[in-house]
Amino acid sequence: DPDSSAPDYRSILSISDATARAQALNEHLSTRSYVQGYSLSQADVDVFRQLSAPPTDPRLFHVARWFRHIEAVLGGPCDKGGPCGLQASKGRCVQPQWSPPAGTEPCKLRLYNSLTRNKDVFIPQDGKKVTWYCCGPTVYDASHMGHARSYISFDILRRVLKDYFQFDVFYCMNITDIDDKIIRRARQNHLFEQYREKRPQATQLLEDVRAALKPFSVKLKETADPNKKQMLERIQRAVELAAEPLEKAVQCRVAGEEVDRCAEVLLEEAKDLLSDWLDSTFGSGVTDNSIFSKLPKFWEGEFHRDMAALNVSVPAVSVSGSVRPPPPIPFLFSSYVSNGSVYFDTVKFASSEKHSYGKLVPEAVGDQKALQEGEGDLSVTADRLSEKRSPNDFALWKASKPGEPSWPCPWGKGRPGWHIECSAMASSLLGASMDIHGGGFDLRFPHHDNELAQSEAYFENDCWVRYFLHTGHLTIAGCKMSKSLKNFITIKDALKKHSARQLRLAFLMHSWKDTLDYSSNTMESALQYEKFMNEFFLNVKDVLRSPVDAAGQFEKWDEEEAELSRHFYEKKTAVHEALCDNIDTRTVLEEMRALVSQCNLYMAARKAARRTPNRALLEQVALYLTRMLKIFGAIEEESSLGFPVGGPGRSLNLEATVMPYLQVLSEFREGVRKIAREKKVPEVLQLSDSLRDDVLPELGVRFEDHEGLPTVVKLVDRDTLLKEREEKKRVEEEKRKKKEEAARRKQEQEAAKLTRMKVPPSEMFLSESDKYSKFDENGLPTHDTEGKELSKGQAKKLKKLYEAQEKLHKEYLQMVQNGSFP
């Protein structure tokens, strides 16, 4: 208690001699405890005000210690000739004021917005909620790789916004099932099936095919595109070739079965040609709406199955136009009725101060080819084009003609236009303004520009869409995908060659807004990336399975771990910056590859030093990479670390179940191999190698033997292991052939050398009568074929050859004498 010490302080202060006073103070302080944060009394302060500095005498260390303590707590030392800085405390020390760090500006997500053609900072209209509408497919045929390009890319963007940036994404998509292409294809399929069911006689079939070939030939002549022309020529030739056997069978009156077989072949080859002809002849009589819904309903189901096979997330809402055909939106000023159809007046809309037409591609306004493609083949006939006030106007509601589906409306029976379907469905779900609208690059004009115009006219705003995202084109080996080029690849065909993950990795390795070339090189890059990442995950799993005690889980870090940790956080920062930069997955994958390379170097160095890598650090890296690949949709949710084994829903159970048994088998095999080497039993070693190379790969198991280290056990896809095995056999076979070839060449060289050795030097030139005409007594040439004496230089060269042969022949004779002649 400082108060109880006050009298002592007063007696100490009364001592006049400074040295004696300091000694007395030191003795007094030696009886007190030194406690940081001690509550000081006024007596403490008064006595220390007598000191201008700590005493230099080392024996007075208690005084020096308390001086520095009070100095640190209450202020600086007393200045000579000035007042002491020590002041009395009113209690305990006061906590100093804290200042936050300056920090750095956080990285903001920017998306390439087709409305501005710039990367704009992404700001949703309602907090973290994101409303997103995507144009779905027109379902009249099998989904192809062009569809995969758009929907995998949008699935990646959606997952990143939802799972990485933590936005609450409401994603909806339409299915276009009322469209000119669908109407024509549905009619053609219906009429052809009817025709087939009637089983026309062979003569009737031949007559109909000849009738169908006439307009087809006209179409062929009028076609300017060389690729399309070539395709039509192939069809024509195939039909003509299929018709010849049937014509001969009819003429020769062969058996009915043979005629039926030839007729079936012709029907199949002439399906497209007959379908066009039947449609042009009888199409106007098809009026049942159910006929037009059957085709898109089938292909819509196929589309959803293809998307599931590609691991594309299901939309929150998926709407079809024919579920309840949307009525034309009652625009206030920008629509007009003409001959039962309703058109959007683009001139009137563009003249309004509030609006502008062609926001996305203003340079394409007036492009009649693009406009007509947007309207559809059935809607660009001369009579329909004449109904419009301006060629740029587009149909909101089309009066149905004979052979088209129809629904009642105030202007007569009709069907919705393509553009209005999207606007009506999107607006009914997302209202007057949405955050994101997505679609393929080729939909910008006229489809999306028309959507914008009619919707902003209806809502009387200029912000129906805040961010327009358009995925890039897909080419096949550098060419546009087309049936005429025979490079049309369906999603099902693509999945026969590569897995959904491999296709997704190929897309991730390219920017979502740029053209992607689907080629063998592209897919090989994706395959190599998958293999590279998978090997890393398998190696980390092996490290994590290694037995370790409780204390071993907390390994001490050396400089190598500190360096790897720094690299890890640098790469995480780089990944974040790349995702903020228009979700640049290409850069992200490269940063992830660099991180794995660094980890591989670290593990290799630890293996070379016979040291165990740091489990916790490698697990952190592997879990981070797994999380990123999950966000991208390249890893199914069932896998906790790395790529799943055995397919969706099986990976965790399979690995957790079989790995303990495989580990026991591996350890047993190592023990057997050790004994076999010690006892020199090669047959057992061969059996062990056969287990590793032949038996286990069939079960999806890889054993990796490393000299002086435990065998590494990995669960790998069976097909991958079998391909690796075949590749290993191929390489070994090539090595064997090269070895055999080298041995053969060596044998031939030795045989040729032996043949040369047998020839005495006196005879080596005698056979070359085409070069020399005279020889000396030793067999050396003296004159050429023309009888001219050889020059000294020529004679010298021949002499050297003679001497070399003389030496070789002596070696041969010595071999014969020694009995070593082969």
mmCIF file of all heavy atoms in Angstrom, residues 460-487:
data_model
loop_
_atom_site.group_PDB
_atom_site.id
_atom_site.type_symbol
_atom_site.label_atom_id
_atom_site.label_comp_id
_atom_site.label_asym_id
_atom_site.label_seq_id
_atom_site.Cartn_x
_atom_site.Cartn_y
_atom_site.Cartn_z
ATOM 1 N N GLU A 460 -42.363 2.586 -70.204
ATOM 2 C CA GLU A 460 -42.056 4.021 -70.276
ATOM 3 C C GLU A 460 -40.776 4.348 -69.499
ATOM 4 O O GLU A 460 -40.731 5.271 -68.694
ATOM 5 C CB GLU A 460 -43.231 4.861 -69.762
ATOM 6 C CG GLU A 460 -44.475 4.753 -70.633
ATOM 7 C CD GLU A 460 -45.570 5.695 -70.182
ATOM 8 O OE1 GLU A 460 -45.592 6.071 -68.992
ATOM 9 O OE2 GLU A 460 -46.401 6.073 -71.024
ATOM 10 N N ASN A 461 -39.742 3.524 -69.731
ATOM 11 C CA ASN A 461 -38.440 3.791 -69.117
ATOM 12 C C ASN A 461 -37.342 3.516 -70.141
ATOM 13 O O ASN A 461 -37.624 3.136 -71.286
ATOM 14 C CB ASN A 461 -38.246 2.952 -67.841
ATOM 15 C CG ASN A 461 -38.172 1.449 -68.126
ATOM 16 O OD1 ASN A 461 -37.856 1.007 -69.223
ATOM 17 N ND2 ASN A 461 -38.482 0.649 -67.119
ATOM 18 N N ASP A 462 -36.120 3.729 -69.739
ATOM 19 C CA ASP A 462 -34.999 3.441 -70.631
ATOM 20 C C ASP A 462 -33.987 2.516 -69.941
ATOM 21 O O ASP A 462 -32.794 2.546 -70.217
ATOM 22 C CB ASP A 462 -34.308 4.735 -71.074
ATOM 23 C CG ASP A 462 -33.693 5.492 -69.904
ATOM 24 O OD1 ASP A 462 -33.989 5.128 -68.736
ATOM 25 O OD2 ASP A 462 -32.909 6.422 -70.148
ATOM 26 N N CYS A 463 -34.507 1.684 -69.017
ATOM 27 C CA CYS A 463 -33.605 0.838 -68.223
ATOM 28 C C CYS A 463 -34.207 -0.540 -67.984
ATOM 29 O O CYS A 463 -34.124 -1.070 -66.875
ATOM 30 C CB CYS A 463 -33.279 1.519 -66.891
ATOM 31 S SG CYS A 463 -34.739 1.912 -65.903
ATOM 32 N N TRP A 464 -34.845 -1.109 -69.003
ATOM 33 C CA TRP A 464 -35.418 -2.449 -68.820
ATOM 34 C C TRP A 464 -34.324 -3.446 -68.476
ATOM 35 O O TRP A 464 -34.523 -4.370 -67.698
ATOM 36 C CB TRP A 464 -36.152 -2.868 -70.097
ATOM 37 C CG TRP A 464 -36.929 -4.140 -69.944
ATOM 38 C CD1 TRP A 464 -37.943 -4.380 -69.060
ATOM 39 C CD2 TRP A 464 -36.758 -5.340 -70.695
ATOM 40 N NE1 TRP A 464 -38.416 -5.663 -69.206
ATOM 41 C CE2 TRP A 464 -37.701 -6.278 -70.212
ATOM 42 C CE3 TRP A 464 -35.913 -5.731 -71.732
ATOM 43 C CZ2 TRP A 464 -37.823 -7.568 -70.736
ATOM 44 C CZ3 TRP A 464 -36.032 -7.005 -72.260
ATOM 45 C CH2 TRP A 464 -36.972 -7.923 -71.751
ATOM 46 N N VAL A 465 -33.138 -3.274 -69.048
ATOM 47 C CA VAL A 465 -31.977 -4.109 -68.732
ATOM 48 C C VAL A 465 -30.830 -3.202 -68.311
ATOM 49 O O VAL A 465 -30.535 -2.218 -68.984
ATOM 50 C CB VAL A 465 -31.539 -4.950 -69.954
ATOM 51 C CG1 VAL A 465 -30.267 -5.718 -69.647
ATOM 52 C CG2 VAL A 465 -32.648 -5.916 -70.374
ATOM 53 N N ARG A 466 -30.180 -3.548 -67.189
ATOM 54 C CA ARG A 466 -29.046 -2.751 -66.709
ATOM 55 C C ARG A 466 -27.718 -3.252 -67.291
ATOM 56 O O ARG A 466 -26.857 -2.446 -67.635
ATOM 57 C CB ARG A 466 -28.978 -2.809 -65.180
ATOM 58 C CG ARG A 466 -30.223 -2.253 -64.487
ATOM 59 C CD ARG A 466 -30.335 -0.768 -64.642
ATOM 60 N NE ARG A 466 -31.482 -0.218 -63.908
ATOM 61 C CZ ARG A 466 -31.690 1.073 -63.702
ATOM 62 N NH1 ARG A 466 -30.823 1.954 -64.184
ATOM 63 N NH2 ARG A 466 -32.740 1.478 -63.025
ATOM 64 N N TYR A 467 -27.575 -4.572 -67.364
ATOM 65 C CA TYR A 467 -26.338 -5.163 -67.891
ATOM 66 C C TYR A 467 -26.722 -6.242 -68.902
ATOM 67 O O TYR A 467 -27.457 -7.175 -68.567
ATOM 68 C CB TYR A 467 -25.492 -5.795 -66.779
ATOM 69 C CG TYR A 467 -25.038 -4.831 -65.721
ATOM 70 C CD1 TYR A 467 -25.869 -4.495 -64.653
ATOM 71 C CD2 TYR A 467 -23.772 -4.247 -65.764
ATOM 72 C CE1 TYR A 467 -25.466 -3.602 -63.673
ATOM 73 C CE2 TYR A 467 -23.355 -3.366 -64.781
ATOM 74 C CZ TYR A 467 -24.210 -3.041 -63.746
ATOM 75 O OH TYR A 467 -23.796 -2.158 -62.773
ATOM 76 N N PHE A 468 -26.248 -6.099 -70.121
ATOM 77 C CA PHE A 468 -26.470 -7.108 -71.156
ATOM 78 C C PHE A 468 -25.176 -7.906 -71.323
ATOM 79 O O PHE A 468 -24.129 -7.344 -71.644
ATOM 80 C CB PHE A 468 -26.850 -6.455 -72.487
ATOM 81 C CG PHE A 468 -28.228 -6.846 -72.965
ATOM 82 C CD1 PHE A 468 -29.215 -5.888 -73.160
ATOM 83 C CD2 PHE A 468 -28.526 -8.171 -73.219
ATOM 84 C CE1 PHE A 468 -30.482 -6.243 -73.596
ATOM 85 C CE2 PHE A 468 -29.789 -8.539 -73.653
ATOM 86 C CZ PHE A 468 -30.776 -7.577 -73.846
ATOM 87 N N LEU A 469 -25.255 -9.226 -71.105
ATOM 88 C CA LEU A 469 -24.096 -10.109 -71.243
ATOM 89 C C LEU A 469 -24.310 -11.017 -72.447
ATOM 90 O O LEU A 469 -25.355 -11.690 -72.539
ATOM 91 C CB LEU A 469 -23.897 -10.958 -69.985
ATOM 92 C CG LEU A 469 -23.891 -10.226 -68.635
ATOM 93 C CD1 LEU A 469 -23.589 -11.224 -67.518
ATOM 94 C CD2 LEU A 469 -22.877 -9.096 -68.629
ATOM 95 N N HIS A 470 -23.347 -11.039 -73.352
ATOM 96 C CA HIS A 470 -23.448 -11.876 -74.551
ATOM 97 C C HIS A 470 -22.231 -12.794 -74.654
ATOM 98 O O HIS A 470 -21.095 -12.317 -74.654
ATOM 99 C CB HIS A 470 -23.553 -11.015 -75.810
ATOM 100 C CG HIS A 470 -24.871 -10.313 -75.936
ATOM 101 N ND1 HIS A 470 -25.037 -8.981 -75.607
ATOM 102 C CD2 HIS A 470 -26.081 -10.761 -76.338
ATOM 103 C CE1 HIS A 470 -26.294 -8.640 -75.806
ATOM 104 N NE2 HIS A 470 -26.949 -9.703 -76.242
ATOM 105 N N THR A 471 -22.497 -14.097 -74.727
ATOM 106 C CA THR A 471 -21.414 -15.062 -74.866
ATOM 107 C C THR A 471 -20.899 -15.072 -76.303
ATOM 108 O O THR A 471 -21.645 -14.807 -77.250
ATOM 109 C CB THR A 471 -21.887 -16.475 -74.495
ATOM 110 O OG1 THR A 471 -23.052 -16.797 -75.275
ATOM 111 C CG2 THR A 471 -22.231 -16.550 -73.026
ATOM 112 N N GLY A 472 -19.615 -15.397 -76.456
ATOM 113 C CA GLY A 472 -18.992 -15.406 -77.775
ATOM 114 C C GLY A 472 -19.430 -16.584 -78.622
ATOM 115 O O GLY A 472 -20.068 -17.535 -78.152
ATOM 116 N N HIS A 473 -19.081 -16.520 -79.897
ATOM 117 C CA HIS A 473 -19.391 -17.592 -80.841
ATOM 118 C C HIS A 473 -18.594 -18.848 -80.516
ATOM 119 O O HIS A 473 -17.589 -18.807 -79.802
ATOM 120 C CB HIS A 473 -19.044 -17.163 -82.268
ATOM 121 C CG HIS A 473 -19.983 -16.129 -82.830
ATOM 122 N ND1 HIS A 473 -21.331 -16.346 -82.974
ATOM 123 C CD2 HIS A 473 -19.759 -14.874 -83.296
ATOM 124 C CE1 HIS A 473 -21.902 -15.275 -83.494
ATOM 125 N NE2 HIS A 473 -20.968 -14.361 -83.692
ATOM 126 N N LEU A 474 -19.045 -19.965 -81.070
ATOM 127 C CA LEU A 474 -18.279 -21.207 -81.023
ATOM 128 C C LEU A 474 -17.978 -21.631 -82.450
ATOM 129 O O LEU A 474 -18.867 -21.665 -83.301
ATOM 130 C CB LEU A 474 -19.058 -22.311 -80.309
ATOM 131 C CG LEU A 474 -18.321 -23.657 -80.258
ATOM 132 C CD1 LEU A 474 -18.218 -24.165 -78.828
ATOM 133 C CD2 LEU A 474 -19.021 -24.696 -81.124
ATOM 134 N N THR A 475 -16.713 -21.924 -82.721
ATOM 135 C CA THR A 475 -16.315 -22.440 -84.023
ATOM 136 C C THR A 475 -15.796 -23.858 -83.863
ATOM 137 O O THR A 475 -15.378 -24.262 -82.770
ATOM 138 C CB THR A 475 -15.227 -21.566 -84.672
ATOM 139 O OG1 THR A 475 -14.097 -21.482 -83.787
ATOM 140 C CG2 THR A 475 -15.740 -20.160 -84.944
ATOM 141 N N ILE A 476 -15.825 -24.603 -84.948
ATOM 142 C CA ILE A 476 -15.333 -25.979 -84.944
ATOM 143 C C ILE A 476 -14.072 -26.018 -85.780
ATOM 144 O O ILE A 476 -14.130 -25.867 -87.005
ATOM 145 C CB ILE A 476 -16.380 -26.953 -85.519
ATOM 146 C CG1 ILE A 476 -17.723 -26.798 -84.802
ATOM 147 C CG2 ILE A 476 -15.862 -28.378 -85.432
ATOM 148 C CD1 ILE A 476 -17.731 -27.210 -83.365
ATOM 149 N N ALA A 477 -12.932 -26.190 -85.126
ATOM 150 C CA ALA A 477 -11.632 -26.205 -85.815
ATOM 151 C C ALA A 477 -11.486 -24.994 -86.729
ATOM 152 O O ALA A 477 -11.033 -25.095 -87.869
ATOM 153 C CB ALA A 477 -11.461 -27.506 -86.605
ATOM 154 N N GLY A 478 -11.912 -23.824 -86.231
ATOM 155 C CA GLY A 478 -11.738 -22.571 -86.961
ATOM 156 C C GLY A 478 -12.862 -22.224 -87.908
ATOM 157 O O GLY A 478 -12.861 -21.132 -88.492
ATOM 158 N N CYS A 479 -13.853 -23.112 -88.088
ATOM 159 C CA CYS A 479 -14.960 -22.858 -89.029
ATOM 160 C C CYS A 479 -16.278 -22.749 -88.285
ATOM 161 O O CYS A 479 -16.460 -23.343 -87.219
ATOM 162 C CB CYS A 479 -15.060 -23.986 -90.057
ATOM 163 S SG CYS A 479 -13.575 -24.204 -91.060
ATOM 164 N N LYS A 480 -17.207 -22.016 -88.867
ATOM 165 C CA LYS A 480 -18.537 -21.902 -88.291
ATOM 166 C C LYS A 480 -19.226 -23.262 -88.346
ATOM 167 O O LYS A 480 -19.145 -23.977 -89.343
ATOM 168 C CB LYS A 480 -19.359 -20.875 -89.077
ATOM 169 C CG LYS A 480 -20.748 -20.647 -88.517
ATOM 170 C CD LYS A 480 -21.505 -19.602 -89.334
ATOM 171 C CE LYS A 480 -22.910 -19.407 -88.776
ATOM 172 N NZ LYS A 480 -23.680 -18.421 -89.572
ATOM 173 N N MET A 481 -19.883 -23.630 -87.251
ATOM 174 C CA MET A 481 -20.560 -24.923 -87.212
ATOM 175 C C MET A 481 -21.743 -24.914 -88.164
ATOM 176 O O MET A 481 -22.578 -24.012 -88.138
ATOM 177 C CB MET A 481 -21.024 -25.249 -85.791
ATOM 178 C CG MET A 481 -21.607 -26.646 -85.659
ATOM 179 S SD MET A 481 -21.880 -27.151 -83.945
ATOM 180 C CE MET A 481 -23.064 -25.917 -83.426
ATOM 181 N N SER A 482 -21.827 -25.934 -89.022
ATOM 182 C CA SER A 482 -22.893 -25.988 -90.020
ATOM 183 C C SER A 482 -23.062 -27.416 -90.498
ATOM 184 O O SER A 482 -22.082 -28.147 -90.675
ATOM 185 C CB SER A 482 -22.560 -25.072 -91.204
ATOM 186 O OG SER A 482 -23.426 -25.310 -92.286
ATOM 187 N N LYS A 483 -24.311 -27.814 -90.723
ATOM 188 C CA LYS A 483 -24.554 -29.149 -91.257
ATOM 189 C C LYS A 483 -23.999 -29.277 -92.668
ATOM 190 O O LYS A 483 -23.594 -30.356 -93.089
ATOM 191 C CB LYS A 483 -26.053 -29.454 -91.248
ATOM 192 C CG LYS A 483 -26.609 -29.694 -89.857
ATOM 193 C CD LYS A 483 -28.065 -30.082 -89.895
ATOM 194 C CE LYS A 483 -28.586 -30.381 -88.484
ATOM 195 N NZ LYS A 483 -30.012 -30.742 -88.472
ATOM 196 N N SER A 484 -23.971 -28.156 -93.388
ATOM 197 C CA SER A 484 -23.444 -28.192 -94.746
ATOM 198 C C SER A 484 -21.952 -28.482 -94.756
ATOM 199 O O SER A 484 -21.425 -29.016 -95.730
ATOM 200 C CB SER A 484 -23.730 -26.874 -95.468
ATOM 201 O OG SER A 484 -23.069 -25.798 -94.824
ATOM 202 N N LEU A 485 -21.254 -28.132 -93.679
ATOM 203 C CA LEU A 485 -19.814 -28.395 -93.586
ATOM 204 C C LEU A 485 -19.521 -29.738 -92.913
ATOM 205 O O LEU A 485 -18.360 -30.102 -92.731
ATOM 206 C CB LEU A 485 -19.127 -27.273 -92.796
ATOM 207 C CG LEU A 485 -19.129 -25.883 -93.448
ATOM 208 C CD1 LEU A 485 -18.540 -24.859 -92.494
ATOM 209 C CD2 LEU A 485 -18.343 -25.912 -94.743
ATOM 210 N N LYS A 486 -20.580 -30.425 -92.517
ATOM 211 C CA LYS A 486 -20.446 -31.715 -91.826
ATOM 212 C C LYS A 486 -19.655 -31.586 -90.527
ATOM 213 O O LYS A 486 -18.934 -32.512 -90.133
ATOM 214 C CB LYS A 486 -19.785 -32.758 -92.734
ATOM 215 C CG LYS A 486 -20.678 -33.234 -93.872
ATOM 216 C CD LYS A 486 -20.040 -34.411 -94.605
ATOM 217 C CE LYS A 486 -20.994 -34.994 -95.619
ATOM 218 N NZ LYS A 486 -20.416 -36.164 -96.319
ATOM 219 N N ASN A 487 -19.730 -30.426 -89.871
ATOM 220 C CA ASN A 487 -19.043 -30.254 -88.585
ATOM 221 C C ASN A 487 -20.042 -29.905 -87.489
ATOM 222 O O ASN A 487 -19.706 -29.275 -86.497
ATOM 223 C CB ASN A 487 -17.965 -29.174 -88.683
ATOM 224 C CG ASN A 487 -18.538 -27.790 -88.962
ATOM 225 O OD1 ASN A 487 -19.738 -27.633 -89.201
ATOM 226 N ND2 ASN A 487 -17.698 -26.781 -88.943
#
